[in-house]
């Protein structure tokens, strides 16, 4: 997701600031700004997701010491 966000930022910057051509019916500057904003928001989301520790649930099964019961334990452990 980070690579896609960086690509959107680059393409948006090129459209907004480097291209001077006029296309009938489309404002290239506005499209570039929209791509820039979407790319920046995507990059922020990706960085925040990477910085938050993920949790996973885990279930352990084993036979009790007397050999008569199956014991299950559920817990969440950080990755």
């Amino acid at each position: 997701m980070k690579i896609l966000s960086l690509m959107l930022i680059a393409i948006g910057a090129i459209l907004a600031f480097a291209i001077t051509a006029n296309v009938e019916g489309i404002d290239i500057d506005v499209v570039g700004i929209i791509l820039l904003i979407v790319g920046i928001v995507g990059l922020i989301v990706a960085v925040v997701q990477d910085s938050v520790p993920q949790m996973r649930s885990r279930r352990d099964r084993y036979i009790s010491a007397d050999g008569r019961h199956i014991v299950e334990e559920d817990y969440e452990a950080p990755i």
Side-chain angles (χ1 to χ4, degrees):
M1 187 165 164
K2 287 181 189 177
I3 293 174
L4 178 62
S5 296
L6 292 174
M7 288 175 49
L8 287 174
I9 291 170
I11 293 169
I14 291 169
L15 290 176
F17 305 119
I19 295 187
T20 59
N22 293 326
V23 178
E24 193 172 320
I26 298 174
D27 190 350
I28 293 179
D29 291 336
V30 172
V31 173
I33 297 297
I34 291 170
L35 289 176
L36 272 167
I37 292 170
V38 170
I40 290 169
V41 169
L43 188 61
I44 291 170
V45 168
V47 168
V48 168
Q49 280 183 343
D50 285 349
S51 67
V52 174
Q54 301 293 318
M55 301 294 284
R56 65 177 172 167
S57 68
R58 182 173 161 181
R59 173 175 282 184
D60 287 342
R61 278 185 165 178
Y62 57 91
I63 298 175
S64 64
D66 63 1
R68 295 183 184 180
H69 305 285
I70 296 175
V71 179
E72 293 182 359
E73 291 180 356
D74 294 328
Y75 61 93
E76 290 186 6
I79 292 178

